[in-house]
Amino acid sequence: LYFTIVDCVFTDFFSVGLNRIQTRHTSFQVDLHLENNITFLGGDSGTGRSTMFSFLKELSAEDKRIKCFNYLDWNKSYKSSIKRSKGKLIIIDDADILLDDAMRSYIALDGNNQYIIIGRNPTGLLLNIDEVYELQNENVDGITLFTLKKSF
């Protein structure tokens, strides 16, 4: 499948990152409201998390404020890239594979970047219950809309 970025909007910037990220593809729209420095996105397989990640990865090619990492970066220097980053939105898919205890501790204490962590295990990220989300998707007039909902 080939998707093009039709629309991209970032709103309400604060010192580290942003409060909202939106992008639209052919029949998909991503509209994420980010309330914290770290947003952990958990949930069941098949809910669209990796699909959403691919849209945000495409967006990162256009917007250098976004850095995306997944299992394809396992043998690359993703850890040092994260540690060198300042003022970025860092999106990590397959976090259970990529993030060891040391990287989880680093991210938990990193005040220079904002994170969306996609995985199953939030251990070591020092998160409150209201920082753990699931992806919600709904069909609105033929467009699949991806939004966040609190897990608990």
Side-chain angles (χ1 to χ4, degrees), residues 35-151:
E35 298 176 5
N36 303 295
N37 190 44
I38 300 173
T39 299
F40 186 86
L41 184 55
D44 296 328
S45 296
T47 58
R49 295 176 306 161
S50 292
T51 300
M52 183 202 63
F53 174 82
S54 70
F55 300 151
L56 296 176
K57 186 166 180 68
E58 261 186 46
L59 182 59
S60 72
E62 303 277 329
D63 191 321
K64 298 305 177 197
R65 296 173 293 179
I66 303 171
K67 286 188 169 190
C68 293
F69 302 96
N70 67 4
Y71 71 95
L72 296 173
D73 298 300
W74 176 253
N75 290 324
K76 300 176 186 174
S77 58
Y78 69 94
K79 290 179 182 180
S80 60
S81 180
I82 291 171
K83 289 180 178 180
R84 285 191 314 268
S85 297
K86 302 278 188 251
K88 303 290 184 188
L89 171 61
I90 299 173
I91 304 167
I92 303 170
D93 192 12
D94 306 305
D96 301 326
I97 296 169
L98 291 180
L99 300 181
D100 58 21
D101 290 344
M103 277 307 294
R104 287 172 183 264
S105 293
Y106 176 83
I107 289 169
L109 301 174
D110 182 11
N112 294 313
N113 298 294
Q114 187 174 7
Y115 294 88
I116 298 175
I117 309 291
I118 303 169
R120 298 196 186 283
N121 181 4
T123 301
L125 293 169
L126 306 177
L127 299 175
N128 294 318
I129 198 164
D130 61 340
E131 295 169 301
V132 179
Y133 294 84
E134 293 178 0
L135 193 63
Q136 177 173 298
N137 59 62
E138 62 181 299
N139 190 303
V140 179
D141 298 325
I143 302 290
T144 300
L145 174 64
F146 292 112
T147 57
L148 296 176
K149 68 175 183 178
K150 295 197 186 267
S151 289

Side-chain angles (χ1 to χ4, degrees), residues 21-39:
I21 183 170
Q22 293 178 295
T23 187
R24 183 173 172 161
H25 299 267
T26 54
S27 60
F28 297 91
Q29 182 173 342
V30 177
D31 187 4
L32 307 179
H33 295 267
L34 307 174
E35 298 176 5
N36 303 295
N37 190 44
I38 300 173
T39 299

